[in-house]
Amino acid sequence: MTVPFFPPDQFGADAEVLVDLVRQVGLDPEQRFILGRRTRELEDLLRAELGVADVVACGSGTSGLILILRGLGIGPGDNVVVPAFGCAPLAASVLAVGASPVFADVDPWTMVADPVAVESAITVHTRAIMPAHIFSVMADMPAFRALADRRGVRLIEDSAVGQGAVLAGRPAGTHGDAGVFSFVQVKSFGGPGEGGVVLTADADLGAVVRMLRNHGQDGVHRFTHHRIGYNSRFDELLAAFQLHRYPTLPDRLARRAEIAEYYTERFAPLAERGIVAPPAGRDGRCYYVYTLLADERDRLRDHLADNGISSHAYYPLALPDQPAFRPFAGVGQSWPNARSASARALSIPVYPQLRDADVTRIADTICAFTPTNREKPCPVA
Amino acid sequence: MPFFSQADTFTQLWPAIEHHVRDVVNRGKFSHGPKVAELETALAAYTGARHVIGVNSGTDALVILLRAAGLRSGDEVVVPAFSFVASASSVVLAGGRPVFADIEPDSYALAPDSVVAAITPRTRFVLPAHLFCQLADLDALAEIAQRHRLVLLEDSAEAIGLRWRGRHAGLLGAGGVLSFFPTKTLGAIGDAGAVLTDDDRIAAVADALRHHGRPGRTLNNFPAINTATEYPGLNSKMDDLQAAVLLAKLGRLDQDIRRRNHLADAYTERLAGCPGVLRLPTMVHSASSRVSYVYLIEVAERDRLAGWLAERGIGTETYYPTPLHRQPCFAGLGYPAGACPVAEAACAHALALPLYPDLTIDQVECVCAAIREYYAGGRS
């Protein structure tokens, strides 16, 4: 039997609720399908739960980053320091507002931005730093907070994959001046469509983002456009379903964490065989996908596929090596850890629908991998 | 009577909608998935476009179209002073500079003479918007574009079903867009849009830009995340659940259009000659087909009439209260009042009345009676 990388049965019993919500929203007496009362309710819920000044629902995590950058007044001539390893929106969002991304290398083990590298990338043109949580690990937000304060730049937390994670007692998404969550289906609070939220500690920034997400209108004077805005809004259908699913999110997060802990325990002895698991513990861990570093990544991927287990090698190129972003790769700079991660990272399934038997089989299969020229037998749980 | 409702339509179409929704749920891909691909194919058949690229909104479609058509930073794009803001804000978001031209009084679309006057050595595109019930003068605009070596793109966000000598809106120049905002002739229950083009190169770039700049086949193809990032892209993917609703509604689009035109005729019969009504919708371009997306009239004392109708439970919209060249967001471009007089006059008088397939002739009569009553002295 094959274990897919993402669950084919995304919402389980909630699928019937979804079909019913399509009908309810379609027939709603208000006939308002975008940025209506359900969206407001979801924003209010997340704001209260996370204790931030404002939560603004928008079209996607990517567009949330763009709204934050614009809301902070970042534009042409400005630089934003981003990790050299990660998803394209880290750099594309900066370019979308006319600013330039500056790439900083990542930690060789956790693959998140390295505070020392970020600091050394800060120049007089730097307006913000934008660390991202990646795969299974949150960026070192306390260090970035201190760095941003010390150097007088804004801190944007790309928490698109981090909803539900906690570092040093503070939830992901609430460490910076502003952060984002993404609700695209594969994420920890994935929903049935594209959407995201901006979270911010700054109520004024929240008000500007609110205006920018809907064509620069203030929500009072329709068709008066104060700023060049975007269409980055939130559908009522998605809000309705997310509100329905929110109470059960902790259970799903706990299941992800449980699977991840089991993996980490099983994989601890594999380090000497060229397979390195993320750090143990739950503080600062996130549960989007579970990602290993494997010296023989492609062989391990093939080995898993041969055993019916889907895995995925995200980001085969470091961001400054991508054709779109090469013009912004500084002369003489290098990103050895980002490039190493591009060659070695392999993600395996960690979704809550996995049965214990699936999880055990995935772990057993990885432990049974025989690296080239290494004969040592694999430990068994 | 609300300005807009599709609840009856939705009820009638529920069996088809449910079929498509269950299909999405069973396949488990909720954006950029197989239902979006199915919609793209169906829209290509309906419009005759070689390429239909589903995105998150009509606004995003314009930004993506402009970039895919080769807009470079600082390029000037001639746009109408009378339209929804996206007709001009999309140019800024794509890195260009909008230059406003005035409109024709009856089509509410770009006036060719005004376009010619707006052209400078930096002008590279002309972007007419088709509003309300007919297309812009595409013969004249295409001729101007050719003569001045400009690329003609169309803001055809409102124009599904509209054809110029049989050719669908959005396909008269290098490309166009569709919006599926809920009130549109083909409306979703959330945001959605599309790029239309016959140009393979524009289509390939637009396809990549909507999905983080990743070229090649990314629709319903998860491993495409491994594709190199060729362009600084956007995330503008369409939801499959919206595609499901749209596919169900597309099946009776032509019937809905006939119904809209019938309701519009009913308004016109009842409002012709009514005191206070300054202008009724008039087809002025014989090459354009007619799709009554919005029933827009010009009236005296517009805001007071709208308030009076609202007190009687009749919803209206003001498309548009402020011309684009006078919007605060374009103040930096420095256009004075009077720069586009036809657009400014339209903004002072235009009022859109309820028009959607769910509406009945009795409701039309009710709206018209209320308007007649207002101008017969009911206002005082």
Tab-separated table of all heavy atoms in Angstrom, chain B residues 49-79:
chain	number	residue	atom	x	y	z
B	49	ALA	N	-11.218	31.208	-27.012
B	49	ALA	CA	-9.822	31.551	-26.714
B	49	ALA	C	-8.937	30.314	-26.838
B	49	ALA	O	-9.332	29.208	-26.479
B	49	ALA	CB	-9.711	32.120	-25.297
B	50	ARG	N	-7.736	30.514	-27.345
B	50	ARG	CA	-6.775	29.419	-27.412
B	50	ARG	C	-6.301	29.048	-26.003
B	50	ARG	O	-6.045	27.884	-25.717
B	50	ARG	CB	-5.608	29.893	-28.271
B	50	ARG	CG	-4.637	28.840	-28.693
B	50	ARG	CD	-3.690	29.473	-29.737
B	50	ARG	NE	-2.437	28.752	-29.781
B	50	ARG	CZ	-2.251	27.652	-30.516
B	50	ARG	NH1	-3.215	27.167	-31.253
B	50	ARG	NH2	-1.077	27.050	-30.498
B	51	HIS	N	-6.178	30.053	-25.138
B	51	HIS	CA	-5.710	29.804	-23.767
B	51	HIS	C	-6.599	30.525	-22.763
B	51	HIS	O	-6.867	31.716	-22.925
B	51	HIS	CB	-4.284	30.317	-23.561
B	51	HIS	CG	-3.293	29.735	-24.524
B	51	HIS	ND1	-2.775	28.468	-24.386
B	51	HIS	CD2	-2.753	30.251	-25.653
B	51	HIS	CE1	-1.939	28.232	-25.393
B	51	HIS	NE2	-1.906	29.290	-26.176
B	52	VAL	N	-7.015	29.821	-21.740
B	52	VAL	CA	-7.702	30.426	-20.602
B	52	VAL	C	-6.913	30.023	-19.358
B	52	VAL	O	-6.660	28.834	-19.144
B	52	VAL	CB	-9.158	29.940	-20.481
B	52	VAL	CG1	-9.811	30.512	-19.231
B	52	VAL	CG2	-9.955	30.328	-21.719
B	53	ILE	N	-6.505	31.017	-18.562
B	53	ILE	CA	-5.656	30.749	-17.397
B	53	ILE	C	-6.403	31.228	-16.156
B	53	ILE	O	-6.579	32.430	-15.958
B	53	ILE	CB	-4.297	31.469	-17.556
B	53	ILE	CG1	-3.560	30.867	-18.760
B	53	ILE	CG2	-3.441	31.320	-16.299
B	53	ILE	CD1	-3.059	31.848	-19.725
B	54	GLY	N	-6.849	30.298	-15.355
B	54	GLY	CA	-7.644	30.619	-14.175
B	54	GLY	C	-6.780	31.212	-13.075
B	54	GLY	O	-5.731	30.659	-12.734
B	55	VAL	N	-7.216	32.332	-12.508
B	55	VAL	CA	-6.471	33.004	-11.436
B	55	VAL	C	-7.427	33.406	-10.312
B	55	VAL	O	-8.602	33.049	-10.323
B	55	VAL	CB	-5.688	34.235	-11.968
B	55	VAL	CG1	-4.686	33.798	-13.034
B	55	VAL	CG2	-6.631	35.297	-12.530
B	56	ASN	N	-6.897	34.162	-9.350
B	56	ASN	CA	-7.669	34.454	-8.139
B	56	ASN	C	-8.688	35.589	-8.288
B	56	ASN	O	-9.622	35.677	-7.509
B	56	ASN	CB	-6.703	34.771	-6.994
B	56	ASN	CG	-7.433	35.032	-5.697
B	56	ASN	OD1	-8.189	34.184	-5.242
B	56	ASN	ND2	-7.261	36.203	-5.129
B	57	SER	N	-8.501	36.464	-9.265
B	57	SER	CA	-9.449	37.579	-9.432
B	57	SER	C	-9.212	38.247	-10.777
B	57	SER	O	-8.169	38.057	-11.408
B	57	SER	CB	-9.253	38.621	-8.317
B	57	SER	OG	-8.021	39.305	-8.490
B	58	GLY	N	-10.167	39.072	-11.176
B	58	GLY	CA	-9.999	39.846	-12.396
B	58	GLY	C	-8.848	40.839	-12.286
B	58	GLY	O	-8.119	41.076	-13.246
B	59	THR	N	-8.682	41.396	-11.089
B	59	THR	CA	-7.567	42.332	-10.865
B	59	THR	C	-6.231	41.633	-11.067
B	59	THR	O	-5.352	42.133	-11.778
B	59	THR	CB	-7.640	42.903	-9.437
B	59	THR	OG1	-8.893	43.560	-9.271
B	59	THR	CG2	-6.511	43.887	-9.187
B	60	ASP	N	-6.077	40.474	-10.433
B	60	ASP	CA	-4.838	39.719	-10.620
B	60	ASP	C	-4.645	39.372	-12.095
B	60	ASP	O	-3.518	39.396	-12.606
B	60	ASP	CB	-4.872	38.417	-9.813
B	60	ASP	CG	-4.539	38.630	-8.340
B	60	ASP	OD1	-4.386	39.789	-7.930
B	60	ASP	OD2	-4.426	37.626	-7.611
B	61	ALA	N	-5.742	39.042	-12.768
B	61	ALA	CA	-5.645	38.688	-14.187
B	61	ALA	C	-5.063	39.849	-14.984
B	61	ALA	O	-4.224	39.650	-15.874
B	61	ALA	CB	-7.015	38.292	-14.728
B	62	LEU	N	-5.481	41.083	-14.674
B	62	LEU	CA	-4.950	42.252	-15.383
B	62	LEU	C	-3.457	42.442	-15.108
B	62	LEU	O	-2.679	42.707	-16.024
B	62	LEU	CB	-5.704	43.516	-14.959
B	62	LEU	CG	-7.077	43.744	-15.594
B	62	LEU	CD1	-7.784	44.903	-14.899
B	62	LEU	CD2	-6.950	44.030	-17.091
B	63	VAL	N	-3.065	42.308	-13.838
B	63	VAL	CA	-1.649	42.471	-13.486
B	63	VAL	C	-0.814	41.422	-14.226
B	63	VAL	O	0.234	41.725	-14.816
B	63	VAL	CB	-1.442	42.340	-11.960
B	63	VAL	CG1	0.042	42.413	-11.605
B	63	VAL	CG2	-2.224	43.427	-11.205
B	64	ILE	N	-1.292	40.202	-14.191
B	64	ILE	CA	-0.566	39.097	-14.823
B	64	ILE	C	-0.531	39.274	-16.344
B	64	ILE	O	0.513	39.078	-16.987
B	64	ILE	CB	-1.216	37.758	-14.413
B	64	ILE	CG1	-0.881	37.460	-12.941
B	64	ILE	CG2	-0.778	36.620	-15.315
B	64	ILE	CD1	-1.676	36.312	-12.337
B	65	LEU	N	-1.654	39.701	-16.923
B	65	LEU	CA	-1.702	39.915	-18.376
B	65	LEU	C	-0.709	41.001	-18.797
B	65	LEU	O	0.032	40.838	-19.767
B	65	LEU	CB	-3.122	40.291	-18.801
B	65	LEU	CG	-3.299	40.683	-20.265
B	65	LEU	CD1	-3.018	39.499	-21.191
B	65	LEU	CD2	-4.705	41.223	-20.521
B	66	LEU	N	-0.710	42.118	-18.072
B	66	LEU	CA	0.199	43.216	-18.420
B	66	LEU	C	1.652	42.756	-18.339
B	66	LEU	O	2.456	43.050	-19.226
B	66	LEU	CB	-0.037	44.407	-17.481
B	66	LEU	CG	-1.300	45.232	-17.758
B	66	LEU	CD1	-1.701	46.031	-16.529
B	66	LEU	CD2	-1.082	46.169	-18.952
B	67	ARG	N	1.983	42.029	-17.273
B	67	ARG	CA	3.369	41.547	-17.137
B	67	ARG	C	3.699	40.531	-18.221
B	67	ARG	O	4.786	40.563	-18.806
B	67	ARG	CB	3.589	40.961	-15.747
B	67	ARG	CG	3.715	42.046	-14.664
B	67	ARG	CD	4.134	41.462	-13.333
B	67	ARG	NE	5.371	40.688	-13.425
B	67	ARG	CZ	5.831	39.906	-12.457
B	67	ARG	NH1	5.166	39.797	-11.330
B	67	ARG	NH2	6.962	39.241	-12.603
B	68	ALA	N	2.759	39.620	-18.473
B	68	ALA	CA	3.028	38.576	-19.472
B	68	ALA	C	3.156	39.169	-20.870
B	68	ALA	O	3.871	38.639	-21.721
B	68	ALA	CB	1.921	37.525	-19.438
B	69	ALA	N	2.441	40.292	-21.108
B	69	ALA	CA	2.502	40.936	-22.425
B	69	ALA	C	3.750	41.796	-22.568
B	69	ALA	O	3.937	42.446	-23.595
B	69	ALA	CB	1.246	41.777	-22.650
B	70	GLY	N	4.598	41.825	-21.531
B	70	GLY	CA	5.904	42.456	-21.675
B	70	GLY	C	6.016	43.862	-21.130
B	70	GLY	O	6.953	44.590	-21.477
B	71	LEU	N	5.089	44.266	-20.260
B	71	LEU	CA	5.197	45.603	-19.677
B	71	LEU	C	6.510	45.732	-18.907
B	71	LEU	O	6.869	44.859	-18.127
B	71	LEU	CB	4.007	45.877	-18.746
B	71	LEU	CG	3.980	47.289	-18.138
B	71	LEU	CD1	2.570	47.839	-18.159
B	71	LEU	CD2	4.496	47.279	-16.713
B	72	ARG	N	7.220	46.823	-19.184
B	72	ARG	CA	8.470	47.104	-18.478
B	72	ARG	C	8.267	48.284	-17.549
B	72	ARG	O	7.393	49.120	-17.780
B	72	ARG	CB	9.592	47.414	-19.477
B	72	ARG	CG	9.966	46.233	-20.363
B	72	ARG	CD	10.999	46.650	-21.397
B	72	ARG	NE	10.549	47.816	-22.140
B	72	ARG	CZ	10.513	47.901	-23.465
B	72	ARG	NH1	10.900	46.887	-24.209
B	72	ARG	NH2	10.106	49.009	-24.063
B	73	SER	N	9.085	48.351	-16.542
B	73	SER	CA	8.966	49.412	-15.552
B	73	SER	C	8.940	50.776	-16.243
B	73	SER	O	9.797	51.073	-17.076
B	73	SER	CB	10.153	49.313	-14.589
B	73	SER	OG	10.071	50.342	-13.651
B	74	GLY	N	7.942	51.579	-15.898
B	74	GLY	CA	7.857	52.925	-16.453
B	74	GLY	C	7.070	53.038	-17.742
B	74	GLY	O	6.795	54.146	-18.208
B	75	ASP	N	6.703	51.920	-18.361
B	75	ASP	CA	5.891	51.976	-19.586
B	75	ASP	C	4.557	52.663	-19.297
B	75	ASP	O	3.951	52.442	-18.242
B	75	ASP	CB	5.569	50.559	-20.095
B	75	ASP	CG	6.756	49.907	-20.778
B	75	ASP	OD1	7.759	50.595	-21.033
B	75	ASP	OD2	6.668	48.687	-21.043
B	76	GLU	N	4.091	53.441	-20.257
B	76	GLU	CA	2.780	54.080	-20.104
B	76	GLU	C	1.690	53.230	-20.751
B	76	GLU	O	1.892	52.639	-21.815
B	76	GLU	CB	2.790	55.479	-20.722
B	76	GLU	CG	3.601	56.457	-19.887
B	76	GLU	CD	3.586	57.870	-20.436
B	76	GLU	OE1	2.918	58.112	-21.473
B	76	GLU	OE2	4.248	58.723	-19.827
B	77	VAL	N	0.568	53.197	-20.068
B	77	VAL	CA	-0.585	52.434	-20.544
B	77	VAL	C	-1.776	53.386	-20.561
B	77	VAL	O	-2.110	53.979	-19.527
B	77	VAL	CB	-0.881	51.239	-19.609
B	77	VAL	CG1	-2.057	50.430	-20.140
B	77	VAL	CG2	0.358	50.356	-19.428
B	78	VAL	N	-2.411	53.545	-21.716
B	78	VAL	CA	-3.586	54.425	-21.792
B	78	VAL	C	-4.797	53.652	-21.294
B	78	VAL	O	-5.115	52.568	-21.799
B	78	VAL	CB	-3.824	54.932	-23.226
B	78	VAL	CG1	-5.050	55.851	-23.263
B	78	VAL	CG2	-2.592	55.663	-23.745
B	79	VAL	N	-5.444	54.204	-20.253
B	79	VAL	CA	-6.610	53.560	-19.640
B	79	VAL	C	-7.744	54.580	-19.556
B	79	VAL	O	-7.506	55.797	-19.599
B	79	VAL	CB	-6.280	53.024	-18.219
B	79	VAL	CG1	-5.159	52.004	-18.263
B	79	VAL	CG2	-5.925	54.165	-17.278
